[in-house]
Amino acid sequence: MEIIVTDERDERFIDFCDSFGCSITEPQVVLLLMNFGKPVGCTSFKVYDSVSAEITTLFLNSYDDRDRIAYKLIRQLEKIAIDYEFSRILVSFDSKEDILIDIFKKLDYEFIDDVWMAKEFKSLI
């Protein structure tokens, strides 16, 4: 498996999102997890404000190692957000019963209100 960094105009990303009933039109940084040339997972973020990025998608096409794959995709997305000099990353949920919340908790995200979680990136200075 390989991770490809791309953007919201990538046809593979568009088709993969469409398969989940989602359409993304805003500028995004996109990670596609490819297996034998086919996407099996993706995640993306957009600019939220001058210091924050917002994770807007996390789709997985596999039930095998779902947590491990999600963990790797999110960690890689965080590294890119840091490279872009964001100091935090946000993610929102429709409800507190979302199955992905546990994954984000394991990655040190904390609720900042009823539907938003955030992770602050620590400065090395």
Side-chain angles (χ1 to χ4, degrees):
M1 283 196 233
E2 69 174 318
I3 293 177
I4 297 171
V5 180
T6 186
D7 63 29
E8 78 286 351
R9 298 168 295 187
D10 190 307
E11 287 296 324
R12 298 167 295 188
F13 175 67
I14 293 168
D15 292 344
F16 195 64
C17 285
D18 285 349
S19 73
F20 288 91
C22 181
S23 176
I24 304 292
T25 57
E26 299 174 274
Q28 307 278 316
V29 172
V30 173
L31 297 181
L32 286 172
L33 180 64
M34 306 295 287
N35 190 24
F36 299 108
K38 294 177 67 175
V40 295
C42 74
T43 189
S44 66
F45 74 77
K46 68 178 183 177
V47 174
Y48 182 79
D49 60 29
S50 63
V51 297
S52 308
E54 177 189 351
I55 296 175
T56 56
T57 61
L58 178 59
F59 296 128
L60 303 171
N61 212 18
S62 171
Y63 290 101
D64 300 329
D65 294 328
R66 192 173 189 80
D67 289 357
R68 183 182 61 83
I69 291 169
Y71 181 87
K72 282 185 172 190
L73 282 170
I74 295 166
R75 280 285 194 217
Q76 189 65 38
L77 197 67
E78 290 173 349
K79 289 177 186 176
I80 294 170
I82 291 168
D83 287 345
Y84 278 106
E85 299 182 357
F86 289 109
S87 61
R88 76 176 180 164
I89 196 159
L90 303 164
V91 62
S92 68
F93 299 96
D94 292 333
S95 77
K96 288 213 174 189
E97 274 71 59
D98 194 300
I99 60 172
L100 295 173
I101 288 175
D102 286 340
I103 292 169
F104 282 95
K105 283 182 178 177
K106 288 178 186 174
L107 291 166
D108 300 323
Y109 286 73
E110 297 178 357
F111 275 101
I112 56 174
D113 71 16
D114 287 341
V115 296
W116 286 93
M117 292 182 90
K119 180 177 184 174
E120 303 285 330
F121 299 127
K122 309 293 186 241
S123 172
L124 296 177
I125 299 173

